[in-house]
């Protein structure tokens, strides 16, 4: 097998793997219940912040900016999806999401990995709590017919 053929095969494989991943991600989202969608969003934000942290360490400004802006959009989406009729918990989450967004903007301006770490810790605490109520949320959805 020639080097050219190996390169072409590698490119074809990479494209196929990317398409498979995209379909898998879309199927996971399409099949997800509302609780799982929030889990996926939180995971996505955490992944992007982790990537941004690596870009900060390597001084890759454009990639850092892209990842932090993506994380900010996800956190803003989480904030917008809050049911403010839920009371104090929703109000506290709204303020916390707002704080995280502002801190990520600051991390982007200052190129500061410690600020990103702070937001990762905060969002991980929310993720742990959200993951902990999974069974309860599914039971509630079943009762309400969702």
């Amino acid at each position: 097998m020639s080097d050219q053929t190996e390169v072409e095969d590698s490119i074809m494989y990479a494209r196929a793997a990317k398409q498979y991943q995209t379909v898998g991600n879309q199927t996971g989202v399409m099949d997800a219940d509302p609780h799982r969608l929030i889990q996926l969003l939180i995971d996505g934000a955490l992944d992007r912040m982790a990537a941004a942290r690596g870009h900060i360490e390597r001084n890759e400004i454009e990639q850092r900016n892209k990842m932090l802006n993506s994380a900010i959009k996800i956190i803003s989406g989480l904030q917008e999806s809050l049911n403010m009729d839920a009371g104090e918990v929703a109000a506290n989450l709204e303020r916390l999401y707002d704080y995280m967004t502002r801190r990520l903007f600051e991390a982007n301006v200052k190129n500061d990995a410690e600020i990103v770490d702070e937001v990762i810790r905060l969002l991980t605490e929310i993720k742990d709590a959200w993951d902990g109520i999974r069974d309860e949320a599914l039971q509630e959805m079943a009762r309400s017919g969702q």
Side-chain angles (χ1 to χ4, degrees):
M1 185 182 281
S2 72
D3 288 341
Q4 178 67 27
T5 304
E6 287 180 27
V7 169
E8 288 171 357
D9 287 347
S10 294
I11 291 170
M12 244 175 34
Y13 173 76
R15 285 183 184 148
K18 182 72 173 167
Q19 288 174 338
Y20 179 79
Q21 180 183 16
T22 299
V23 169
N25 288 343
Q26 289 172 350
T27 302
V29 169
M30 289 172 53
D31 294 339
D33 58 74
H35 190 273
R36 180 69 183 132
L37 287 174
I38 299 298
Q39 287 177 312
L40 291 169
L41 288 169
I42 291 171
D43 288 343
L46 289 169
D47 288 346
R48 283 158 180 80
M49 286 186 285
R53 193 181 192 305
H55 294 307
I56 289 170
E57 291 172 356
R58 293 183 299 277
N59 203 31
E60 299 167 344
I61 305 305
E62 186 175 332
Q63 295 92 336
R64 176 212 69 213
N65 185 51
K66 181 179 176 184
M67 289 295 106
L68 287 177
N69 284 334
S70 182
I72 288 167
K73 286 178 186 175
I74 293 170
I75 292 170
S76 294
L78 289 167
Q79 185 177 10
E80 291 170 13
S81 73
L82 289 170
N83 175 3
M84 296 311 287
D85 295 334
E88 188 177 336
V89 171
N92 288 341
L93 279 172
E94 197 278 329
R95 286 190 293 274
L96 187 55
Y97 287 144
D98 182 65
Y99 174 78
M100 287 190 273
T101 299
R102 287 184 285 115
R103 291 296 282 164
L104 289 178
F105 275 120
E106 184 179 354
N108 204 5
V109 169
K110 294 181 176 180
N111 201 40
D112 190 330
E114 288 182 22
I115 296 173
V116 175
D117 288 341
E118 173 193 3
V119 178
I120 288 172
R121 282 190 302 274
L122 292 169
L123 192 57
T124 298
E125 287 181 30
I126 293 171
K127 177 187 176 358
D128 291 345
W130 193 251
D131 291 348
I133 64 166
R134 173 93 178 131
D135 292 338
E136 186 179 318
L138 290 175
Q139 289 171 3
E140 180 61 32
M141 284 187 282
R143 281 193 294 270
S144 66
Q146 289 183 348

